[in-house]
Amino acid sequence: MITGDQLRAARALARLTIQELADLAIINKMTIVRIEAGARANRLTLLHLQEILEGQGITFIEADENGGSGVRFKPGVEADLARKKKGTSDDGEAGDGVKALYPELADFWIEHPEALARLSDEGRRAISEAALGDPRALDDLAARP
């Protein structure tokens, strides 16, 4: 069974935002946020997400005597993604912006929704974009009482 860390890493390799993966899986984006933060998840949901990401060219690696669990591209997929990358500028950065993912930042805001709710919409979206690659990923947390 895949872990939240594997899900986050696989999504990053596939260059999918939380919203994009949620749309592909036809599930709520907060389900993905919670799984990536380490919450327990339904077995069928995890299998469904794994299947979708495998369809995107990702292979899930189970822990064994040689190392821990992880993810990697299926052979040839990484080269295909590089060729399909849109809007590449001379410095190699995507023209529409590379989405940085900082799990420790996301974990902090997920654990402190009351602090997130005190931020302006613009501030919340900037943090959500930096932490999760999706400017609206943390909106539901901020709406909690």
Side-chain angles (χ1 to χ4, degrees):
M1 195 59 50
I2 66 171
T3 66
D5 290 336
Q6 283 179 301
L7 178 61
R8 183 174 43 253
R11 188 174 54 76
L13 277 178
R15 297 187 179 124
L16 294 172
T17 65
I18 289 174
Q19 187 62 58
E20 289 168 339
L21 181 56
D23 291 345
L24 287 171
I26 311 173
I27 62 173
N28 187 298
K29 67 182 176 186
M30 290 310 297
T31 300
I32 295 170
V33 170
R34 286 189 293 271
I35 293 169
E36 289 185 358
R40 295 174 69 177
N42 181 297
R43 181 179 183 277
L44 293 176
T45 300
L46 291 174
L47 289 172
H48 183 56
L49 289 168
Q50 181 175 348
E51 183 179 278
I52 287 169
L53 288 162
E54 286 173 343
Q56 298 287 316
I58 305 299
T59 298
F60 290 85
I61 305 163
E62 292 189 30
D64 60 17
E65 66 278 353
N66 295 319
S69 62
V71 297
R72 67 175 170 222
F73 286 114
K74 291 178 182 175
V77 172
E78 189 170 16
D80 289 344
L81 281 175
R83 281 194 298 273
K84 291 178 184 176
K85 192 173 179 184
K86 297 176 187 171
T88 303
S89 63
D90 293 337
D91 62 2
E93 186 170 292
D96 61 350
V98 175
K99 292 179 173 67
L101 299 176
Y102 298 100
E104 60 282 352
L105 181 60
D107 291 344
F108 173 82
W109 291 108
I110 289 168
E111 292 169 10
H112 299 89
E114 71 287 347
L116 186 66
R118 290 192 303 262
L119 296 175
S120 68
D121 286 344
E122 185 177 335
R124 191 168 43 256
R125 286 196 177 90
I127 289 168
S128 188
E129 178 76 23
L132 301 167
D134 182 349
R136 299 192 181 276
L138 295 174
D139 282 356
D140 291 343
L141 288 176
R144 290 184 186 173

